[in-house]
Amino acid sequence: MSNKRTLFLMATLLVLIAGYVAKPMWEPRLAGVRGPQMTDPALPGTNSVSKLEVARDADGLWFATFDYFYTGEPKFAFPQVELRRPEVSAVSAASAISSATTLAQRGAQKVRIEIHRPQLPESFTTTSVVARLHAGSQVLARQEVAQVIDWSDWQSWVLDQSVRGRPPEEVLNRAIGLIDVGDQSSLAEAKRLLERLILKDAKFDRGYIEMARISMKTNWGPEGLRQAEALLSSALQINPEGVDAKILLAYVHAHQGRYDSANAMLAAVSQSETRNLWLWATWGELLLMQGKVGEAKEKYLEAVKRPRTMDTYDRARVDAYAHLMAILEQRKEFAEMEELHKQRTQEYGPGSCSSVYYGRFVLQQRGDAQAAIELANRALGSECGTEVREVLGMAHYVSWAGNSGPAQIESLNQARVLLPAGPRTLHLLAASDRTLVAAKRLIESGESIDQRDNAKMTALAYALAQRDLAAAQRLLRLGARPEAKIGYDDMPAALIPVMRADVAGIRLMQQSGVDYAKLKFQDMTAFEFARQLGDKALVDALDPKARRL
């Protein structure tokens, strides 16, 4: 074994020696240089760098263009660019130079080298650019010119690099996708992308439309609406026939209470052949704001009758389905509601959230726990994870409440894993008469109707906070106490409708026996709180002589 090992080491050493001996032949080839550069005598003259010019191109990239003369000595010289800033001698040369595999060529040459941003996290300024010809640590020739370059922070620069050279439509679609995600970081990145598009082309009208969406998503309220209106006005100045801008502007006007203007704008746009389903969803919302529920239903139906667009407009279809379900449930049109559930589940697939929503429907309206379980199971692993667990947990509780023997125990065990018993679970189960049976059974088995969770909220408090008065009424029938203390300040649950100026909720509490003239929190009655708010309707609602509806 030792002889074999010795022979192996000797062979390896011979290979290394042979490679070193052949270095003059293989090294220049790897560097892209022909053999003669290594053997030709040096050219007469002196290594030099001249005519350095620094300029920025249309995409915002900085380039250095310069001439150099290279005699061929010493071997393996490189043309490079270096940045300088006042407070230091040089800035991270390795990140601000051309590729080190580009060897200088003999004779007179001209090169154009991109100036890369040094990898520093913060924004900074460089004041000059140096072009040089060097071999290792030896500088053969150099030229320096004054050129101020303001470098943005690293994150912004990387974003700029990702935008440059890409078609505007590609960048726009990326921004739209980020806006649709809608979280803080996505909106911030989308805004930076759109700003760069508009700075590059001030007439890119679609950029202003998407900026208007960001204004509303990040600053919802009168100010954000005004900002969105101004941006949409800019888009329409560029393209007066812009349908998407008009639809979004109608949405803004609707939320500013300018109903006639919004309606006229949508009616005009409806004469076009637009694919934008937000036309119908926005129109439905406008009509709902005015209490025209039947007309709103028709507009929402128009949105779901049209084919899917498979792009950002498809979000309007999802919005229309959600509003239609709420309208049909309010009007107790359950047969039509189920047909709509079937249609949506077929369109979006059995593994989508639509399957979970349908499962909740069959559970709450028909009490069919097994069907709900089968539907919800199809969406396991989807983005609706919380919703899936809720529906499955509720269904297993209902199954437990209606079974006996081993099947009952198995259902309870699964329910406990998916949806542990507590105030939120009791509130969910009180959402319909079909599931209320499970809430009753939980209370009979020892769960307190007024138990508090870690947020110190009861089931009734959750129902009142969400203005879910039907569930609140069912919980009251199960024995929930309106005066039960909630929150870290131990406020009576019955004060939630007062804090939210929810007159219907106040009426429900009064019907359950709450006397707001006597109910106090922090030495203040509900009347005093309402007077401080200056809300006459709220004061009238709290009047003990008010009519109990």
Side-chain angles (χ1 to χ4, degrees):
M1 289 297 294
S2 59
N3 289 336
K4 289 183 179 179
R5 184 176 180 184
T6 301
L7 288 172
F8 174 77
L9 290 174
M10 289 178 65
T12 303
L13 181 60
L14 286 172
V15 170
L16 292 173
I17 292 171
Y20 180 77
V21 171
K23 182 179 179 184
M25 291 181 285
W26 59 258
E27 185 174 54
R29 293 185 182 277
L30 289 181
V33 180
R34 296 187 302 276
Q37 174 148 337
M38 294 294 301
T39 57
D40 290 349
L43 297 174
T46 305
N47 294 319
S48 64
V49 172
S50 60
K51 298 181 181 179
L52 172 59
E53 294 181 354
V54 179
R56 196 175 191 181
D57 71 1
D59 287 326
L61 299 176
W62 287 95
F63 286 88
T65 304
F66 59 93
D67 294 345
Y68 71 83
F69 182 84
Y70 175 45
T71 65
E73 288 292 341
K75 304 299 191 250
F76 305 116
F78 299 90
Q80 292 185 340
V81 174
E82 181 181 85
L83 296 171
R84 294 189 177 276
R85 54 198 293 204
E87 61 271 27
V88 292
S89 58
V91 177
S92 186
S95 66
I97 60 177
S98 62
S99 171
T101 58
T102 303
L103 285 170
Q105 300 298 306
R106 289 157 52 92
Q109 309 291 338
K110 178 182 282 291
V111 292
R112 183 172 184 260
I113 298 176
E114 182 182 346
I115 302 173
H116 296 289
R117 180 195 185 282
Q119 294 183 19
L120 301 175
E122 72 280 356
S123 58
F124 60 93
T125 299
T126 54
T127 55
S128 65
V129 176
V130 178
R132 64 181 187 174
L133 194 63
H134 81 99
S137 60
Q138 182 182 3
V139 177
L140 308 179
R142 68 188 297 277
Q143 184 182 8
E144 181 172 351
V145 297
Q147 176 63 62
V148 174
I149 303 177
D150 293 318
W151 299 97
S152 60
D153 63 89
W154 179 253
Q155 183 180 10
S156 299
W157 186 82
V158 170
L159 185 63
D160 282 336
Q161 293 296 101
S162 69
V163 171
R164 290 188 179 108
R166 297 181 183 274
E169 288 295 323
E170 181 182 331
V171 178
L172 177 70
N173 288 335
R174 181 182 170 190
I176 289 172
L178 290 167
I179 296 170
D180 289 347
V181 170
D183 60 41
Q184 187 175 357
S185 61
S186 297
L187 291 171
E189 184 177 351
K191 185 178 181 182
R192 288 194 291 267
L193 288 171
L194 293 169
E195 285 173 346
R196 281 151 180 77
L197 280 177
I198 293 171
L199 288 173
K200 187 174 180 180
D201 180 6
K203 293 184 178 180
F204 192 67
D205 61 304
R206 293 183 63 190
Y208 295 92
I209 297 170
E210 298 307 321
M211 285 289 287
R213 289 178 62 201
I214 292 175
S215 291
M216 288 186 283
K217 283 179 174 287
T218 57
N219 190 20
W220 180 255
E223 184 181 13
L225 290 169
R226 285 195 301 271
Q227 292 170 357
E229 184 178 14
L231 289 164
L232 292 168
S233 296
S234 295
L236 289 168
Q237 285 173 0
I238 299 166
N239 180 14
E241 302 305 316
V243 169
D244 287 358
K246 290 178 180 179
I247 292 171
L248 192 56
L249 185 57
Y251 176 87
V252 172
H253 284 187
H255 284 273
Q256 290 174 330
R258 299 156 67 180
Y259 300 146
D260 291 342
S261 171
N263 188 73
M265 204 173 298
L266 294 170
V269 171
S270 68
Q271 302 304 310
S272 69
E273 295 297 324
T274 180
R275 296 171 56 254
N276 190 342
L277 298 179
W278 283 112
L279 164 63
W280 309 105
T282 299
W283 212 340
E285 187 170 349
L286 170 64
L287 292 165
L288 276 183
M289 290 177 175
Q290 300 171 79
K292 301 175 181 179
V293 179
E295 293 177 54
K297 174 186 170 183
E298 294 306 313
K299 300 303 181 188
Y300 284 127
L301 281 171
E302 189 67 38
V304 301
K305 285 177 183 175
R306 292 174 177 258
R308 290 187 63 185
T309 60
M310 308 303 289
D311 56 20
T312 186
Y313 296 150
D314 214 43
R315 292 174 55 254
R317 190 183 189 84
V318 174
D319 179 82
Y321 269 120
H323 279 96
L324 273 171
M325 294 299 185
I327 290 171
L328 294 173
E329 184 174 18
Q330 183 184 29
R331 295 166 64 145
K332 302 188 184 305
E333 297 174 357
F334 297 119
E336 188 175 353
M337 191 175 175
E338 181 158 13
E339 288 304 312
L340 210 59
H341 271 297
K342 290 178 181 178
Q343 175 182 316
R344 183 170 62 177
T345 302
Q346 183 176 11
E347 286 179 2
Y348 290 95
S352 67
C353 296
S354 300
S355 184
V356 187
Y357 303 148
Y358 188 17
R360 186 184 289 270
F361 171 83
V362 298
L363 181 65
Q364 293 180 334
Q365 298 303 325
R366 296 207 306 260
D368 191 338
Q370 188 55 43
I373 290 169
E374 291 173 2
L375 284 164
N377 272 331
R378 295 175 187 173
L380 283 171
S382 70
E383 70 271 19
C384 309
T386 301
E387 187 88 11
V388 172
R389 288 192 295 275
E390 279 189 2
V391 172
L392 285 174
M394 291 165 60
H396 281 298
Y397 276 121
V398 171
S399 180
W400 161 71
N403 282 324
S404 59
Q408 183 186 45
I409 296 172
E410 184 178 327
S411 293
L412 180 60
N413 289 340
Q414 292 192 52
R416 284 171 170 168
V417 169
L418 294 160
L419 193 64
R424 286 186 179 276
T425 299
L426 290 172
H427 171 221
L428 288 170
L429 293 171
S432 79
D433 290 329
R434 299 287 191 177
T435 55
L436 190 66
V437 60
K440 290 179 181 177
R441 187 68 184 272
L442 281 172
I443 293 166
E444 289 169 359
S445 67
E447 295 290 337
S448 170
I449 187 66
D450 289 322
Q451 64 181 283
R452 302 196 300 178
D453 58 14
N454 287 343
K456 300 190 181 299
M457 293 282 281
T458 65
L460 179 61
Y462 280 119
L464 292 173
Q466 296 177 26
R467 301 186 185 226
D468 186 358
L469 300 187
Q473 197 165 33
R474 294 186 186 97
L475 290 166
L476 288 167
R477 291 204 303 266
L478 289 179
R481 295 182 303 114
E483 67 276 11
K485 300 296 190 295
I486 62 161
Y488 294 97
D489 294 326
D490 286 336
M491 181 184 79
L495 281 179
I496 292 176
V498 179
M499 300 294 186
R500 294 176 175 267
D502 179 8
V503 174
I506 290 170
R507 292 278 185 253
L508 177 62
M509 292 295 95
Q510 289 172 330
Q511 290 172 13
S512 68
V514 173
D515 185 349
Y516 283 109
K518 297 179 181 178
L519 194 66
K520 284 190 173 184
F521 174 59
Q522 294 182 348
D523 296 326
M524 183 184 296
T525 67
F527 280 111
E528 290 169 335
F529 177 77
R531 289 192 190 100
Q532 279 193 358
L533 291 177
D535 189 331
K536 186 178 183 303
L538 189 58
V539 172
D540 291 343
L542 292 169
D543 188 338
K545 297 179 182 178
R547 181 167 57 93
R548 309 287 176 86
L549 299 178

